[in-house]
Amino acid sequence: MVEIDLIKNLKKISFMIPNRLLKLQSCLFKEDSKEISEIIIYKGFSSSKTHK
């Protein structure tokens, strides 16, 4: 999957540059709704602020 490889690559980059925080935001539009997603990557670890 492209998405998983992208996240893994961003984790590697954040591990090499530990004084930076990466915040990813996305929005998925469905028929009558909108789903917002937010991921933070810091020092090689990722955490979703919107989903478990």
Side-chain angles (χ1 to χ4, degrees):
M1 280 186 167
V2 175
E3 297 86 9
I4 294 174
D5 292 339
L6 175 62
I7 298 291
K8 285 181 182 180
N9 290 337
L10 292 172
K11 285 181 180 182
K12 289 177 187 176
I13 292 169
S14 73
F15 184 76
M16 292 184 294
I17 308 170
N19 62 341
R20 299 289 180 168
L21 178 87
L22 176 62
K23 182 177 172 183
L24 303 172
Q25 295 177 322
S26 68
C27 185
L28 177 64
F29 293 97
K30 295 184 179 179
E31 292 176 8
D32 291 336
S33 65
K34 176 171 79 171
E35 182 178 333
I36 297 173
S37 178
E38 188 171 275
I39 297 173
I40 292 181
I41 301 175
Y42 181 66
K43 292 187 178 182
F45 295 96
S46 64
S47 179
S48 174
K49 291 182 64 181
T50 54
H51 297 85
K52 289 186 176 186

